[in-house]
């Protein structure tokens, strides 16, 4: 289904088929040219060829599946974040309309002019109301219009005079007058005649003196501008995918590319997420991969009914290479260490690696055993041995080609998996700082907006009515649930009223804060205290935003201020948890550039702590962001004893928020996804030894062709070792060993064998590395066991890997400087590759002595 759209995978499949044909040719050649000598090899060759055929199918299936999963995961992340950001934004609008609909001055204006708004004595109040609406709109740039209407639909005043509206017949007015709370409307409306549709939040208004319903407030959200911002931030940068907002009928509300998929059309959806069946969906005669996510409640607000965010990418564009090779240029030891934990982050990749390693070992063991057999059984039949060695060389060469192809394909699969993780982490860190900035944007606006409240301005100017001020604050705090406390203070810094549980912990704001608030130049300015512990937040760290409250008639005269205590603990944690939801082994943090933790999903780093991340690593992450030309970067690294993918994003602002230098505290979002503990050098060396390809040594003669001695060469204890081939029967996989430690510290178990096809017998298996070096081997199921003739019997020796069987003359032998002692197992060394490579020759007599002691 997907393979035709993946040319790189299709090329890999073709190469694998060609190798399968090569294995068949080798098998046929062995049957024809040396059937007697190859009789023991043919069953293993058939099993190996069959194994490769199954591996081919599994590899191609996994390559395809991982590429599809990567595309779906990226699409899903973008869709989920887009709808999450939109719902959080619209929640703030529901609170705004509830607050502004109770503004005493505006409610009084509507009550007074509803019947005779044309009279001259109301002209001054009309101008004041218009200025007031404009002031609100200037502080909340998310609104493009604010209107006040009487109960008959007559527009009394509006903020946007470029599109004048005299009267509205929209049914939303009747619905709003009948509702206790806000009404959310999205469609065409005569309230916004210049637009094809508008998102309006409306709320009825009451006369503050009589309580009678006198009109309706309408806040018109700048919906198109907001959707453009979301599309720009979360759509695929290559524009191969289109991002859509859908309604309950799966019709397009907004499209990132309306020339491609216009608003109003119905599209297929996939609400099952990445875990659902991956199948292309047809739209407009073209097949797409699709991911769809609906609204999640935020603070009890469900979002517009049925709205969903969706990403659609055409199949013919979905799998084009869109990123750099994340492995290329990375530290080899780091890459190998990460790969050693494939079972944790990609079970299919681990299973493939295990199967390929097992098959490669089988090929190496076939060749190794064949060369050992050709020496021990065929000294008098050189011609047949020559033909057998030719077959063995063909097996070895084709095995190397197969291993190289599978290794390259597994590397591609590994690259795909890591690239997906890096992309997810980077996108998540971007979301988190965006979510934070959007949230703090609202906090900065709220304090400035509420500072305009008539009851607060008059209360501080006239003094004496602190209960009235507290009533206003309590009403606001009920609407805006993200605050732990609101408080108002006078020109001397005395807190005159406050909300919040329990008694007020202090009576005055500090002198520095008071001075900065009183020095604010205009209603558009605010002051924020740096993230730090505060008595007003039960001693926990938080942000506190302040705005100056000014005299009702003398705007230059500051009469006090309002402070809003952000409920940072749960709110910041909620953001972080929403970003990493469902991803185990991933932690998210908000930190300062100095690594102070503002919030985290990691209990070991609570707010106020210093993150245990070296400054050099944080600098490297930010440098990666700079190289990308973006505010975010991601790297693979070691951290806190784990291999991790780390991503970091700078808070870059939202709309006009953070445009003023030095007002807001710099914040970073950091993601750390752990893949497993760091391996030590010895573990990695053992893993690396198991991946060594079987190669002929330069300068060595072929096995069985000269007058020298044939040696069986193998890896053990991190070194190359050898035994005379005549002493070796064969090698078998360690998986056949039954673990049964005995009274010798090097004994690891026993093995049942049937020498020469006879009855079974048991042999003891010993750890050769422990016997030779004193350090136990790192034994895995990929380790090998050599069956060695030992006096009249046989023993098994565990080795890391088999290398080859090669012939060396006596001139290549030299005494080992470490073998002078009687206890040394390798008194002689074999000089290979012109003396540049030394191989330890194990002495069986000394081995026997070591086993007896």
């Amino acid at each position: 289904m997907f393979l035709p759209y993946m040319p790189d995978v299709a090329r890999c499949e073709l190469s694998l088929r060609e190798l399968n044909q090569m294995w068949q040719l080798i098998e046929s050649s062995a049957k024809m040219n040396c059937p007697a000598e190859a009789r023991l090899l043919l069953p293993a060759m058939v099993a190996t060829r069959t194994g490769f055929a199954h591996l081919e199918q599994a590899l191609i299936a996994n390559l395809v599946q991982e590429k599809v999963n990567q595309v779906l995961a990226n699409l899903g992340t973008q869709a989920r974040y887009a709808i999450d950001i939109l719902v959080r934004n619209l929640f703030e609008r529901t609170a705004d309309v509830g607050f502004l609909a109770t503004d005493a001055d505006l409610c009084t204006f509507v009550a007074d002019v509803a019947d005779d708004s044309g009279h001259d004595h109301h002209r001054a109040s009309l101008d004041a109301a218009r200025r007031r609406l404009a002031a609100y709109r200037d502080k909340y740039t998310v609104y493009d219009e604010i209107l006040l209407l009487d109960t008959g639909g007559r527009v009394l005043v509006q903020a946007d005079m470029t599109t004048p509206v005299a009267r509205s017949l929209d049914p939303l007015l009747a619905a709003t007058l009948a509702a206790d709370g806000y009404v959310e409307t999205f469609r065409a409306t005569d309230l916004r005649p210049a637009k094809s549709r508008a998102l309006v939040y409306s709320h009825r208004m009451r006369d503050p003196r009589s309580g009678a319903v006198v009109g309706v407030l309408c806040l018109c959200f700048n919906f198109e501008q907001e959707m453009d911002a979301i599309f720009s931030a979360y759509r695929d940068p290559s524009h191969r995918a289109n991002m859509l907002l859908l309604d309950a009928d799966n019709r397009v509300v907004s499209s990132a590319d309306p020339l491609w998929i216009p608003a109003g059309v119905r599209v297929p959806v996939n609400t099952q997420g990445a875990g659902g069946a991956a199948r292309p969906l047809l739209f407009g005669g073209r097949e797409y991969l699709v991911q769809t996510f609906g609204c999640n409640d935020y603070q009890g607000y469900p979002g517009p009914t049925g709205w969903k965010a969706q990403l659609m990418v055409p199949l013919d564009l979905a799998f084009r290479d869109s990123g750099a090779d994340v492995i290329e240029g990375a530290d080899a030891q780091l890459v190998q260490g990460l790969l050693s934990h494939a079972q944790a982050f990609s079970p299919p990749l681990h299973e493939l690696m295990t199967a390929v390693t097992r098959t490669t070992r089988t090929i190496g063991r076939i060749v190794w055993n064949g060369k050992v057999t050709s020496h021990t059984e065929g000294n008098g039949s050189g011609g047949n041995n020559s033909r057998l060695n030719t077959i063995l060389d063909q097996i070895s060469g084709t095995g190397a080609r197969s291993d190289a192809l599978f290794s390259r394909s597994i590397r591609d699969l590994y690259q795909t998996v890591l690239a997906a993780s890096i992309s997810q982490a980077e996108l998540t860190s971007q979301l988190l700082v965006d979510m934070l900035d959007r949230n703090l944007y609202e906090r900065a606006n709220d304090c400035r907006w509420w500072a305009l409240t008539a009851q607060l301005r008059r209360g501080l100017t006239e003094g004496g009515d602190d209960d009235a001020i507290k009533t206003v604050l309590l009403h606001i705090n009920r609407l805006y649930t993200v605050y732990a406390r609101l408080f108002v203070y006078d020109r001397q810094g005395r807190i005159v009223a406050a909300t919040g549980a329990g008694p007020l912990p202090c009576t005055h704001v500090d002198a520095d804060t008071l001075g900065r608030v009183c020095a604010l130049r205009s209603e558009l300015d605010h002051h924020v205290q740096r993230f730090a512990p505060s008595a007003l937040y039960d001693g926990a760290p938080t942000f506190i935003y302040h705005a100056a409250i000014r005299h009702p008639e003398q705007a230059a005269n500051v009469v006090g201020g309002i402070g809003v205590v952000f409920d940072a603990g749960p709110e910041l944690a909620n953001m972080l948890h929403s970003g990493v939801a469902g991803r185990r082994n991933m932690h998210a943090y908000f930190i300062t550039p100095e690594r102070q933790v503002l919030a985290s999903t990691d209990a070991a780093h609570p707010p106020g702590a210093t993150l245990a991340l070296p400054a050099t690593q944080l600098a490297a992450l930010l440098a990666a962001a700079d190289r990308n030309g973006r505010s975010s970067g991601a790297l693979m690294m070691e951290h806190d004893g784990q291999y991790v993918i780390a991503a970091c994003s700078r808070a870059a602002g939202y709309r006009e928020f953070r445009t003023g230098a030095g007002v807001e505290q710099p914040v970073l979002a950091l993601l750390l996804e752990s893949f497993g503990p760091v391996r030590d050098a010895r573990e990695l060396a053992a893993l690396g030894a198991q991946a060594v390809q079987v190669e002929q040594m330069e300068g060595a003669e072929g096995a069985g062709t000269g007058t020298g001695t044939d040696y069986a060469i193998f890896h053990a204890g991190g070194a190359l070792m050898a035994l005379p081939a005549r002493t070796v029967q064969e090698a078998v996989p360690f998986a056949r060993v039954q673990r049964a430690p005995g009274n010798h510290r090097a004994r690891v178990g026993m093995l049942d064998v049937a020498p020469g096809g006879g009855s079974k017998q048991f042999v003891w298996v010993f750890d050769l590395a422990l016997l030779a070096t004193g350090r136990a081997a790192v034994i895995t199921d990929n380790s090998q066991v050599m069956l060695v003739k030992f006096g009249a019997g046989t023993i098994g020796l565990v080795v890391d890997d088999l290398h080859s069987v090669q012939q060396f003359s006596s001139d290549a032998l030299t005494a080992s400087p470490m073998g002078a002692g009687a206890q040394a197992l390798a008194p002689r060394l074999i000089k290979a590759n012109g003396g540049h490579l030394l191989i330890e020759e194990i002495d069986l007599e000394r081995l026997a002595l070591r086993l007896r002691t």
Side-chain angles (χ1 to χ4, degrees):
M1 184 190 310
F2 298 107
L3 191 57
Y5 301 100
M6 302 176 183
D8 53 339
V9 181
R11 287 192 297 270
C12 176
E13 183 184 41
L14 179 61
S15 298
L16 289 169
R17 287 180 180 174
E18 291 174 351
L19 278 172
N20 189 273
Q21 293 172 354
M22 182 65 70
W23 283 112
Q24 291 177 344
L25 286 174
I26 294 172
E27 186 182 325
S28 300
S29 177
K31 289 178 180 177
M32 289 186 295
N33 293 320
C34 49
E37 293 78 5
R39 71 187 184 280
L40 298 178
L41 303 180
L42 286 174
M45 287 178 59
V46 172
T48 300
R49 175 172 56 80
T50 304
F52 267 128
H54 290 314
L55 276 175
E56 172 193 330
Q57 297 171 7
L59 176 61
I60 297 304
N62 277 283
L63 280 170
V64 170
Q65 189 60 52
E66 283 297 340
K67 284 180 177 288
V68 171
N69 287 347
Q70 180 188 17
V71 171
L72 288 176
N74 283 337
L75 296 180
T77 299
Q78 295 167 52
R80 183 165 65 90
Y81 290 170
I83 194 68
D84 196 15
I85 283 288
L86 181 61
V87 168
R88 285 169 178 264
N89 193 322
L90 298 186
F91 161 74
E92 300 284 351
R93 313 294 63 92
T94 65
D96 288 349
V97 72
F99 163 72
L100 193 56
T102 62
D103 181 280
D105 284 357
L106 294 180
C107 289
T108 300
F109 165 78
V110 172
D112 288 348
V113 304
D115 296 328
D116 54 357
S117 58
H119 291 183
D120 289 341
H121 68 275
H122 290 301
R123 182 60 53 192
S125 61
L126 177 64
D127 291 341
R130 184 175 294 123
R131 287 195 302 272
R132 194 166 185 78
L133 294 186
Y136 278 119
R137 193 182 63 172
D138 289 344
K139 292 168 183 60
Y140 271 102
T141 57
V142 297
Y143 300 113
D144 55 13
E145 176 66 296
I146 306 175
L147 306 99
L148 302 181
L149 301 90
D150 64 15
T151 55
R154 185 158 46 104
V155 176
L156 304 180
V157 65
Q158 64 185 108
D160 181 12
M161 295 304 296
T162 61
T163 56
V165 179
R167 179 178 293 276
S168 174
L169 301 176
D170 197 302
L172 76 83
L173 296 175
T176 304
L177 291 170
D180 289 333
Y182 71 89
V183 174
E184 185 178 62
T185 306
F186 180 71
R187 51 174 167 75
T189 173
D190 58 9
L191 292 167
R192 299 296 283 150
K195 292 194 169 189
S196 60
R197 60 191 181 176
L199 180 55
V200 180
Y201 290 86
S202 53
H203 200 291
R204 65 189 183 189
M205 304 177 74
R206 294 180 181 273
D207 187 330
R209 295 154 298 196
S210 67
V213 175
V214 292
V216 171
L217 163 72
C218 293
L219 295 180
C220 301
F221 182 61
N222 198 336
F223 176 75
E224 305 299 343
Q225 185 185 68
E226 178 62 17
M227 290 311 304
D228 286 345
I230 291 175
F231 290 151
S232 176
Y234 296 107
R235 184 189 178 189
D236 170 25
S238 67
H239 289 191
R240 290 180 298 177
N242 199 1
M243 178 177 277
L244 310 169
L245 179 66
L246 310 181
D247 64 14
D249 295 324
N250 300 332
R251 295 190 181 278
V252 177
V253 175
S254 288
S255 171
D257 190 341
L259 295 179
W260 181 358
I261 302 177
V265 302
R266 196 168 189 169
V267 294
V269 299
N270 172 27
T271 57
Q272 297 181 11
R279 59 186 181 88
L281 300 177
L282 190 65
F283 171 73
R286 201 174 184 185
E287 288 185 309
Y288 289 83
L289 281 177
V290 177
Q291 284 284 65
T292 316
F293 278 86
C295 301
N296 288 322
D297 284 12
Y298 177 65
Q299 300 279 0
Y301 170 67
T305 303
W307 276 19
K308 302 173 284 287
Q310 176 161 301
L311 268 290
M312 300 176 64
V313 60
L315 276 185
D316 54 314
L317 300 178
F319 307 106
R320 291 187 181 179
D321 185 23
S322 60
D325 189 334
V326 298
I327 299 176
E328 191 70 31
D331 179 77
Q333 186 166 321
L334 178 64
V335 170
Q336 186 185 6
L338 266 169
L339 187 57
S340 72
H341 292 290
Q343 187 171 16
F345 65 85
S346 178
L349 174 60
H350 172 74
E351 290 170 12
L352 263 177
M353 289 167 51
T354 302
V356 169
T357 300
R358 187 183 303 119
T359 304
T360 302
R361 296 294 178 279
T362 300
I363 294 171
R365 193 164 52 246
I366 290 172
V367 174
W368 198 85
N369 284 339
K371 299 226 173 195
V372 166
T373 301
S374 71
H375 171 80
T376 57
E377 295 184 357
N379 270 345
S381 53
N384 288 341
N385 280 346
S386 177
R387 287 195 293 271
L388 177 59
N389 281 325
T390 300
I391 296 295
L392 293 172
D393 289 342
Q394 289 176 340
I395 294 174
S396 181
T398 306
R401 286 181 57 196
S402 299
D403 186 45
L405 179 57
F406 274 99
S407 296
R408 186 166 63 249
S409 301
I410 285 175
R411 182 189 185 281
D412 291 342
L413 183 57
Y414 184 35
Q415 153 78 18
T416 300
V417 172
L418 283 183
S421 294
I422 288 174
S423 175
Q424 294 287 299
E426 193 168 348
L427 185 58
T428 300
S429 69
Q430 289 175 342
L431 163 84
L432 292 175
V433 289
D434 189 16
M435 197 180 292
L436 177 70
D437 274 354
R438 286 167 171 265
N439 198 304
L440 297 184
Y441 162 84
E442 303 288 349
R443 312 298 63 94
N445 289 341
D446 285 348
C447 68
R448 295 182 299 156
W449 194 338
W450 300 335
L452 298 178
T453 306
Q455 296 97 313
L456 302 184
R457 299 174 77 168
R458 283 197 297 267
L460 285 182
T461 301
E462 297 168 3
D465 197 0
D466 295 349
D467 288 341
I469 294 177
K470 185 170 184 177
T471 299
V472 173
L473 295 182
L474 287 170
H475 171 68
I476 294 173
N477 214 163
R478 281 194 293 269
L479 291 171
Y480 295 83
T481 55
V482 298
Y483 294 109
R485 191 185 302 275
L486 310 179
F487 59 98
V488 168
Y489 47 94
D490 61 21
R491 190 66 173 77
Q492 289 71 46
R494 182 179 65 88
I495 298 176
V496 300
T499 66
L504 195 65
C506 55
T507 59
H508 288 74
V509 298
D510 64 273
D512 178 69
T513 298
L514 180 64
R516 291 178 182 273
V517 171
C518 291
L520 293 175
R521 292 174 296 177
S522 73
E523 296 174 347
L524 296 178
D525 296 310
H526 73 279
H527 167 66
V528 56
Q529 292 178 254
R530 294 179 68 85
F531 190 86
S534 172
L536 293 167
Y537 194 50
D538 296 330
T542 188
F543 293 108
I544 301 180
Y545 279 80
H546 296 262
I549 298 176
R550 301 174 184 274
H551 192 282
E553 283 82 36
Q554 303 168 21
N557 183 10
V558 173
V559 294
I562 182 171
V564 298
V565 181
F566 182 46
D567 196 5
E571 292 301 318
L572 296 182
N574 175 277
M575 295 179 211
L576 295 177
H577 283 289
S578 71
V580 301
R583 295 189 221 170
R584 64 185 191 88
N585 301 328
M586 178 180 278
H587 284 302
Y589 309 82
F590 285 128
I591 61 173
T592 68
E594 297 77 32
R595 293 168 291 146
Q596 179 196 8
V597 176
L598 309 186
S600 84
T601 60
D602 179 5
H605 292 92
T610 299
L611 183 65
L613 180 75
T616 53
Q617 288 187 330
L618 182 58
L621 280 168
L622 296 177
D626 293 336
R627 286 195 299 273
N628 294 337
R630 302 195 298 267
S631 61
S632 62
L635 293 172
M636 297 178 290
M637 61 173 61
E638 295 177 9
H639 169 69
D640 197 23
Q642 294 275 319
Y643 293 111
V644 303
I645 284 177
C648 186
S649 292
R650 295 184 180 93
Y654 171 66
R655 294 181 178 266
E656 66 276 10
F657 185 72
R658 288 196 191 275
T659 56
V663 178
E664 301 295 329
Q665 187 174 1
V667 177
L668 307 172
L670 178 70
L671 267 291
L672 295 175
E673 183 176 9
S674 302
F675 289 88
V678 173
R679 308 279 192 187
D680 62 30
R682 189 158 178 259
E683 286 180 294
L684 287 179
L687 292 168
Q690 293 169 6
V692 170
Q693 295 182 12
V694 177
E695 299 172 351
Q696 287 295 106
M697 292 184 181
E698 181 186 349
E701 297 145 358
T705 62
T707 58
T709 302
D710 284 334
Y711 285 92
I713 303 169
F714 47 88
H715 296 270
L720 271 180
M721 298 182 182
L723 278 169
R726 66 179 179 275
T727 65
V728 179
Q729 292 179 352
E730 65 172 326
V732 298
F734 181 81
R736 288 177 48 183
V737 174
Q738 300 175 40
R739 296 272 190 163
N743 56 7
H744 195 288
R745 68 189 187 104
R747 187 185 297 172
V748 295
M750 60 180 158
L751 185 67
D752 61 318
V753 297
S759 60
K760 286 187 177 182
Q761 66 182 48
F762 289 94
V763 300
W764 288 112
V765 178
F766 298 90
D767 180 352
L768 180 58
L770 181 57
L771 291 167
T773 67
R775 296 181 63 187
V778 180
I779 297 177
T780 70
D781 286 341
N782 290 323
S783 298
Q784 310 272 7
V785 177
M786 297 189 308
L787 297 178
V788 178
K789 299 170 186 175
F790 200 70
T794 303
I795 64 169
L797 295 176
V798 178
V799 298
D800 297 332
D801 201 3
L802 306 174
H803 190 283
S804 58
V805 178
Q806 298 185 44
Q807 192 173 91
F808 294 95
S809 67
S810 58
D811 295 340
L813 303 178
T814 184
S816 170
M818 305 297 294
Q823 294 299 311
L825 293 189
R828 295 194 302 181
L829 300 176
I830 302 171
K831 295 183 293 184
N833 296 355
H836 297 296
L837 179 65
L838 297 177
I839 305 169
E840 301 178 21
E841 182 191 1
I842 298 298
D843 186 300
L844 286 179
E845 291 183 2
R846 295 191 179 200
L847 178 62
L849 179 62
R850 180 68 55 84
L851 289 175
R852 283 196 295 270
T853 58

